[in-house]
Amino acid sequence: MIARTFTFILVLFAFVGQAPAAAQADTVPIGAIQGTEDSSPYVGQRVNFQGVVTGFYEDQNSRGDIFYLVFVQNDPAEADGNPATSDAIAVFLGRQSPAVQIGDRVLVKGIVTEFFGLTEIDNDFLGVEVLSQGNPLPPAVVLQPPADEQATAAYYEPLESALATLEGAAVVVGATHSGCGFAVVPAASGLTRVFRHVGNEPIHQIVPVLHNSDVDCTEFPDLRSGDQVTGLSGPLTYNFDQFKIVQQSPDQLVITPRPETSPPTPPPAPAGSISIATFNLLNYFDTVDDTGDVAEPKPTAAELATKQAKLAYAIGRTLACPTFVGVQEVEKESLLLELASQLTASCGFTYAVSHRESPDPRGIDVALLSDPRRVAVEGVSLRQTCSVVNTDLADPTATCPAGQQPLFARPPIQVDVSVDGRPLTLLVNHFKSKSGGEAATAAWRMAEARFLRDLTSEWLSQNAQAPLVVMGDFNDYLYSEMMLVMAGDEGPLVNVLEQVAAESRYSYVFGGASQLIDGILISPALVEQVAAATILHVNADYPHAWQEDTTPAHLPYHASDHDIPYLALYWSEPPATPTATPIPAAPAPEQPISSGLLIGLGVVVGVALIVAVRWLRRPAARKQT
């Protein structure tokens, strides 16, 4: 894959006046270029240095552009001798594929830059000359990452871009993902899983590992959480706020698979109970290009069929056809109708689909599937609101006061039902993701949480016994401030997933950290009716490549990147005095809604009730279109 020549890689411009004037006449140790601080003291200056090529990294962006990095390191004899500086550096080649091999000694001339925390030599005005081949590589440092965050930063910075290895076995804590990487902890640490529930747990013993290419993962192993691996070695790159080993030789890895287990199943449901699951379907899109945007998922017909087979197995077999399934990340109602049809054979009924289009720029919505044998849907509406948070959202259904914008890209869908004649209200949610940065998006999620807090608080103030279920992908940690707003000291709801055993209390794995970002919250009246609460771990611990594998061994796994929270409620005994759950307009003391919008919401709810009643009176042979 790497073309070999013995010439300069030159990216030079004809306009000599564009080059920086401060050129280094003599070579300098790489350690001097790296310096002792986070940023190089030579940023913006031209430097000359020599070293041995220790590795490569090939990276493809969302537009399909491929970029190349080469890692160069001084051997101990030519290093600066300062343990506080790194003796290695990354050389950015842009779109020019490397013309060198590991073991080549090179002379590099270029300009120092910082790329999101990684010191690099820029591709502009770059020269790389091969001086000799077949040189021995510098010894790799044996990583022993500390648990403390500040100690970790100080530990890794002097090792940036240097060859590193993990001695002995490592335990996989993050399965192989779509970017051709996985995450491990040293087996000597005694850890088998690392949790993140608040945001400040000691997760820094995790070591992410990347393949030397995220363009072609063919040679990279598909690992599950719990597998063990030895032979990890490569340069340390830095991206997305983590130092990562770039594995250069996948064939040197020795894998010890974890023991095989059967797919999990829900606990036995008591007679007369109802079951509720929330399930992020992960980009459940059809084959039609609706936007012309390269970012829109456009599966082939075969890929869509595979996706639907995996989802149908997850709902029909793994979940055993629950009474309700709240879903996120679905593009269109027609996709859910197709999925419901596929589930008819295994479930013995065809799920009713409650769906409304949202203003989400990606085109993904939330919805609810319900068992029509026991559930009568009485009302469906989106609960949009306005906020001072700058969301840049356009929602033609929302009329916001001056200085405010629509809050939800995917407004919660409220579905009012009766189950065996008893009322229940469910809200399915998909909060703002952390894409763009956790800190940058926190205020948005907090505004969404406060809206739901105020909405449910108002309902419960009118009827303390109101049965409410608020579920979905909340995109934040179990004990984060945002989650506690809804189900904490100031929140009116109860997070039933806190009942799940600590070692199983996660629904997502990011960067090797297991975290619970999906939730099922209930009103106090339902707490004594909880029969079981669990999370079915069939997705997050399994390699991304399995999402395309429908063989019997892999069909149950990785239909999505989220695991599936599940709740069973005792339901057979009706309350002594049945009361209907009120559907008041949503209060928003912190994010006011205009009176016009309140009136509009009332009209929409009224019309929805009339339409629902008329639809229920249609002949059974007709289908909703």
Side-chain angles (χ1 to χ4, degrees), residues 106-365:
V106 292
L107 171 64
V108 179
K109 301 177 180 179
I111 301 166
V112 181
T113 186
E114 293 285 339
F115 183 75
F116 293 98
L118 178 66
T119 304
E120 293 181 347
I121 304 301
D122 194 62
N123 64 316
D124 285 346
F125 314 106
L126 173 66
V128 179
E129 180 183 1
V130 176
L131 303 177
S132 62
Q133 309 103 37
N135 296 279
L137 301 186
V141 62
V142 177
L143 292 180
Q144 296 177 320
D148 179 73
E149 181 175 7
Q150 291 185 341
T152 299
Y155 174 79
Y156 272 113
E157 186 63 29
L159 305 178
E160 182 180 274
S161 297
L163 271 181
T165 186
L166 284 174
E167 195 170 53
V171 180
V172 177
V173 292
T176 306
H177 53 73
S178 60
C180 307
F182 54 85
V184 301
V185 290
S189 70
L191 297 170
T192 56
R193 184 174 297 278
V194 181
F195 290 92
R196 187 170 189 174
H197 287 316
V198 179
N200 59 356
E201 286 92 344
I203 63 171
H204 307 285
Q205 286 180 286
I206 297 172
V207 180
V209 180
L210 298 175
H211 185 26
N212 56 34
S213 170
D214 73 353
V215 180
D216 182 2
C217 303
T218 305
E219 298 178 1
F220 208 58
D222 292 323
L223 301 181
R224 304 166 298 174
S225 295
D227 291 343
Q228 291 198 8
V229 57
T230 59
L232 294 167
S233 180
L236 276 176
T237 192
Y238 182 79
N239 59 28
F240 294 100
D241 301 324
Q242 286 182 305
F243 284 92
K244 305 175 182 181
I245 292 177
V246 184
Q247 182 72 26
Q248 297 299 303
S249 301
D251 57 335
Q252 293 181 357
L253 299 178
V254 178
I255 313 300
T256 304
R258 75 182 195 194
E260 295 292 339
T261 57
S262 300
T265 57
S273 64
I274 63 173
S275 48
I276 302 167
T278 178
F279 191 7
N280 184 312
L281 304 184
L282 180 61
N283 291 330
Y284 185 24
F285 278 70
D286 64 17
T287 60
V288 178
D289 185 353
D290 296 295
T291 64
D293 188 341
V294 68
E296 178 191 353
K298 290 175 279 290
T300 65
E303 290 169 339
L304 177 58
T306 297
K307 177 77 171 181
Q308 290 173 326
K310 303 279 277 193
L311 294 177
Y313 190 100
I315 295 173
R317 299 292 296 276
T318 301
L319 289 169
C321 306
T323 316
F324 298 98
V325 185
V327 299
Q328 304 87 42
E329 288 203 27
V330 59
E331 183 190 22
K332 296 174 182 175
E333 181 183 44
S334 59
L335 287 165
L336 293 175
L337 294 172
E338 291 176 17
L339 182 60
S341 178
Q342 290 191 18
L343 285 163
T344 302
S346 56
C347 294
F349 63 88
T350 302
Y351 275 104
V353 176
S354 299
H355 170 272
R356 296 289 183 270
E357 285 290 337
S358 76
D360 181 78
R362 288 188 60 225
I364 54 175
D365 306 323

Side-chain angles (χ1 to χ4, degrees), residues 394-437:
D395 185 352
T397 69
T399 303
C400 294
Q404 297 191 26
Q405 298 177 24
L407 177 59
F408 290 97
R410 304 166 289 267
I413 190 167
Q414 175 181 325
V415 186
D416 300 290
V417 304
S418 63
V419 187
D420 302 338
R422 295 177 58 191
L424 178 65
T425 294
L426 305 100
L427 287 120
V428 184
N429 301 269
H430 188 184
F431 278 18
K432 170 63 180 173
S433 76
K434 294 182 179 180
S435 176

Side-chain angles (χ1 to χ4, degrees), residues 415-488:
V415 186
D416 300 290
V417 304
S418 63
V419 187
D420 302 338
R422 295 177 58 191
L424 178 65
T425 294
L426 305 100
L427 287 120
V428 184
N429 301 269
H430 188 184
F431 278 18
K432 170 63 180 173
S433 76
K434 294 182 179 180
S435 176
E438 187 170 334
T441 56
W444 192 333
R445 283 189 302 281
M446 180 61 77
E448 292 174 325
R450 286 173 175 159
F451 171 78
L452 278 184
R453 175 199 64 189
D454 295 340
L455 176 64
T456 53
S457 293
E458 176 65 16
W459 289 352
L460 294 171
S461 71
Q462 297 185 32
N463 178 10
Q465 298 303 308
L468 309 173
V469 176
V470 178
M471 59 181 160
D473 177 0
F474 294 108
N475 270 316
D476 219 329
Y477 309 122
L478 174 59
Y479 298 117
S480 66
E481 183 181 0
M482 184 276 292
M483 289 300 295
L484 295 177
V485 160
M486 297 183 292

